[in-house]
Amino acid sequence: MKVSLGVHGGLAAALAVGRPPLCIDTDDLDDAAAAELGRLVDAAAGSAARASADAEPRPDETNYEITIDRQDRSTVIAATDTTAGDDFIRLRDWISEHGSQ
């Protein structure tokens, strides 16, 4: 599984222009870290599916887009600073800490 985090928009958008997304490939992780990432992805994807029905544009907020590429499918979950649920925040922070550009 490959997971990437893109950050867009918000009041500090000019600081991130041209910055590539942070990426993680579970093939590069030890078993424990890969399992933890899998649990975080599953929780965040489930929460995001429930929250997407309430989504509305928020152009002044920082937008986070997490792309999850598995062998059989690709899923994108997105949130802003104020719409991100706890599961999304945990995944975003884990990718920020462990990902590379």
Side-chain angles (χ1 to χ4, degrees):
M1 175 174 61
K2 294 180 183 178
V3 181
S4 63
L5 169 65
V7 181
H8 313 283
L11 299 176
L15 300 175
V17 170
R19 187 176 294 171
L22 293 172
C23 299
I24 297 176
D25 188 332
T26 54
D27 290 343
D28 298 333
L29 300 174
D30 62 46
D31 291 344
E36 181 179 4
L37 179 58
R39 284 189 298 275
L40 292 168
V41 162
D42 290 343
S47 296
R50 291 187 297 276
S52 65
D54 298 329
E56 62 184 63
R58 298 176 188 275
D60 291 337
E61 295 183 26
T62 301
N63 295 275
Y64 304 95
E65 185 174 275
I66 297 174
T67 303
I68 304 150
D69 292 316
R70 299 181 195 233
Q71 291 177 336
D72 59 340
R73 69 185 182 280
S74 182
T75 304
V76 176
I77 56 176
T80 67
D81 287 324
T82 60
T83 64
D86 292 341
D87 293 325
F88 186 94
I89 292 168
R90 280 189 281 277
L91 177 58
R92 181 200 64 195
D93 292 350
W94 199 93
I95 296 168
S96 295
E97 184 178 331
H98 295 91
S100 61
Q101 294 180 328

